[in-house]
Amino acid sequence: MISSLAVELGALRLACSPKIIIATRNLPARGTKPLPRHLWDMADMEEKTGGRYTHKPLRINRLGGRDPETGRKVNQHIGGGVKFDYFMIDFHRRGPTAQGATYDERVLEVRRDANRTCHIALCAGMQGKRWILATENMKAGDIISTSGYLSENPVIGVEGNAYPIGSLAAGTVINSIERYPTMDSETFVKAAGTSATIVRHQGDYTVIKLPHKHEFSLHRECMATVGRLSHADIDSKIFGSAQMHRRFGYKMSSGLFHKKDGYFGRKVRALPPVRQLDTPPQAPPPFQRFTLTKTDLSGLHGHAKVHNLIPSGYSTRDYPE
């Protein structure tokens, strides 16, 4: 018994080597991953728009911090507030792939949007109107262009114009970066006053540095807009009162005292290596709903199936008259 215990302790010491313990120190601290906000019901927007883009203001249902599938409250700090119109933003700008050809648009209006931090701009071109994220110096009357040509020599981008990231020179400040070169991929850098920087080009990929200093290697065909996003002074603005937060749909934290543990404060961690985004991840399987009877929930089937009253003390024997 003692010898087997000693062998197990020795194996435990080998498994818990100092290298593994040191490596885990660079992981994110507990509770640092933000909760999903669940602001808008995207299924309701899909139904009202028919899956097509529109520049017109929409009135869609608000989730209020609840999961769209289960309806359970996920984010306790979202809910209520004034109902604002929702504007669909076109994050995927596409242009002609021929050399020297561009798709030009005129900026008709730059306005603030209550549903996001940065300002939005209404642009009009040959293919219609659309809303995009406004850059720092964008104003009404500007002409912006979109080019899908992937040039061999680096291009000095113009603010407000969209190019493939493989065509831009190193050090270019960009925003609204596609995660993958597809029309349904997510985009990086959408908050007010933020921007990313092109670091270098490596073969078919381009390395960019995001605002949190992490580096990603993306396909050269991914589109991005040149410039820094507008409304950079939003951090210096104050709401004025706690009720103003409620009008914008943000609920306050609880007034209870929470004792701080060792996970609070400034953390100095080494930056992770460059992460290469090669192929889009597969979509998760859909949720399944099942309805079980009391017999199914009991777990008793076949020869083990007995009456529901037997576990409560009842017997199946025949009682004498």
Side-chain angles (χ1 to χ4, degrees), residues 167-241:
S167 299
L168 296 173
T172 305
V173 175
I174 54 178
N175 66 81
S176 304
I177 312 157
E178 292 180 342
R179 191 183 184 97
Y180 302 100
T182 57
M183 290 294 293
D184 56 349
S185 68
E186 300 177 355
T187 53
F188 292 117
V189 190
K190 296 181 289 187
T194 58
S195 61
T197 306
I198 294 180
V199 180
R200 60 186 177 275
H201 301 285
Q202 294 179 343
D204 296 335
Y205 295 88
T206 298
V207 179
I208 64 171
K209 180 184 289 186
L210 296 183
H212 49 63
K213 298 182 181 179
H214 291 203
E215 294 184 355
F216 287 86
S217 180
L218 309 179
H219 287 276
R220 299 185 61 197
E221 295 82 7
C222 294
M223 297 293 295
T225 304
V226 177
R228 181 188 180 194
L229 287 177
S230 57
H231 204 190
D233 58 342
I234 186 174
D235 294 333
S236 61
K237 296 181 179 179
I238 59 176
F239 281 89
S241 65

Side-chain angles (χ1 to χ4, degrees), residues 107-126:
V107 179
L108 302 180
E109 177 188 4
V110 177
R111 55 160 293 173
R112 64 180 181 88
D113 188 6
N115 307 313
R116 61 192 77 251
T117 55
C118 65
H119 295 163
I120 58 177
L122 179 62
C123 305
M126 293 293 295

Side-chain angles (χ1 to χ4, degrees), residues 36 61 65 75 110 132 166 184 233 244 285:
N61 296 336
N75 197 322
V110 177
I132 64 172
D184 56 349
D233 58 342
M244 185 62 72

